[in-house]
Amino acid sequence: MDGKEWNTWGEGVSFGLQNGMAVIPYALLKHYRKLNLTGSEAMLLIHLLSFRQVEGMEFPSLEELQTVTGRSIAAIAGELQKLMKEGFISIDEDIDELRDIHFERYNFSGLYGKLGAFLAGAAQEPATDSSKPAGSVPNQRAAAHHTGAPAPDGGHGRAFTAAAGKDAEENRSLFTIFEKEFGRPLSPMECETISGWVDQDNYPEELILLALKESVFAGKIHFRYIDRILLEWARNRVKNAQDVKAYTQKFRGGGR
């Protein structure tokens, strides 16, 4: 490398360093697969950490995450939902009282807790058999996961994985439908709200879509209105499309 090349290389390094550096837990880079994270999910966590440390952005939008990852908003929203559901991240809400501004930020205490628990558990495990090749699967259940063979519990592990995949696909379709009706990408907070309706409130997807339809007809397309509809239906034991029709007719005078 001649002097000119050294100068060019040095200028590039200098420019990169001036743009900031993010501190990423090495345990995340080394062990993310053992925490059942995919490469794209681990990279999403790294981007969230980098946005906070370098850009000072504690709650980047889905569009900003799409710019740095090059992935679809639906895919990013689905991964954020999984990370929140499994406790790697959460969303804190706060108020800047001086400026009277409401804001959200990602909380990474779950990620750090999981990494700490994993490292503590690994430190207590007996030394591995040196005769085993590096990267060998330590037990039958893990082997079943890697090869697709039935797990020792009679296949329940694979059934759970299939069910989780189905749930994720259903949630992605809900996100897509809501984005079409709202005419814009959903925020992470809105994605978490939809996930909460499905995972915590156990509302059927059909009922959520009917509530969305009601809000469109009423000209009140916002999440608080949809949530009020779902709560009202839950209190009146409205569980499906037929119940919604009967309930609507009753209160609009159509069933009298």
Side-chain angles (χ1 to χ4, degrees):
M1 185 179 290
D2 59 26
K4 183 177 180 180
E5 289 175 329
W6 270 113
N7 288 337
T8 302
W9 181 85
E11 290 172 359
V13 171
S14 176
F15 178 79
L17 292 176
Q18 289 178 34
N19 274 269
M21 298 178 65
V23 178
I24 306 301
Y26 178 62
L28 173 61
L29 298 174
K30 185 176 182 180
H31 301 297
Y32 71 87
R33 287 182 296 178
K34 294 177 182 178
L35 294 174
N36 295 321
L37 291 171
T38 65
S40 60
E41 290 163 355
M43 183 56 68
L44 182 56
L45 285 170
I46 290 171
H47 279 302
L48 292 175
L49 290 167
S50 300
F51 266 113
R52 168 174 288 188
Q53 296 177 30
V54 180
E55 304 286 347
M57 298 172 59
E58 297 192 293
F59 201 71
S61 68
L62 291 174
E63 292 88 346
E64 288 162 335
L65 291 171
Q66 182 184 39
T67 299
V68 295
T69 62
R71 307 183 69 239
S72 71
I73 285 178
I76 295 169
E79 288 177 347
L80 286 172
Q81 180 225 350
K82 178 191 171 185
L83 292 172
M84 287 186 285
K85 183 176 180 180
E86 297 187 359
F88 286 94
I89 57 174
S90 58
I91 297 177
D92 292 340
E93 298 184 64
D94 207 345
I95 298 176
D96 184 335
E97 296 183 354
L98 293 176
R99 295 183 293 173
D100 193 27
I101 297 176
H102 177 275
F103 63 93
E104 295 88 23
R105 59 179 167 226
Y106 284 108
N107 185 323
F108 298 95
S109 58
L111 169 64
Y112 299 138
K114 287 180 180 290
L115 288 173
F118 174 82
L119 293 175
Q124 294 175 2
E125 290 180 359
T128 56
D129 185 350
S130 60
S131 64
K132 294 181 180 179
S136 62
V137 181
N139 55 52
Q140 288 180 312
R141 185 178 298 276
H145 174 73
H146 280 272
T147 63
D153 57 6
H156 294 300
R158 187 166 57 176
F160 176 81
T161 303
K166 182 180 179 182
D167 289 344
E169 187 64 32
E170 288 176 353
N171 285 338
R172 279 197 292 273
S173 68
L174 277 177
F175 295 148
T176 303
I177 293 170
F178 268 77
E179 285 179 342
K180 287 180 180 178
E181 291 295 343
F182 277 65
R184 60 170 176 77
L186 300 179
S187 71
M189 198 70 181
E190 290 169 338
C191 292
E192 186 182 30
T193 298
I194 295 175
S195 298
W197 288 338
V198 174
D199 300 325
Q200 298 172 18
D201 300 320
N202 295 316
Y203 294 137
E205 179 178 344
E206 175 189 37
L207 207 63
I208 296 172
L209 293 177
L210 287 170
L212 172 61
K213 185 177 179 181
E214 285 287 319
S215 73
V216 172
F217 286 158
K220 299 178 180 179
I221 311 177
H222 51 79
F223 274 78
R224 288 185 180 178
Y225 187 77
I226 297 171
D227 192 53
R228 286 201 298 269
I229 292 174
L230 290 168
L231 282 172
E232 181 183 352
W233 286 350
R235 289 173 186 150
N236 290 274
R237 298 182 180 180
V238 175
K239 299 179 180 179
N240 52 47
Q242 186 176 357
D243 291 344
V244 169
K245 183 177 180 180
Y247 181 80
T248 303
Q249 288 177 343
K250 177 181 177 181
F251 283 90
R252 290 178 181 172
R256 296 177 182 175

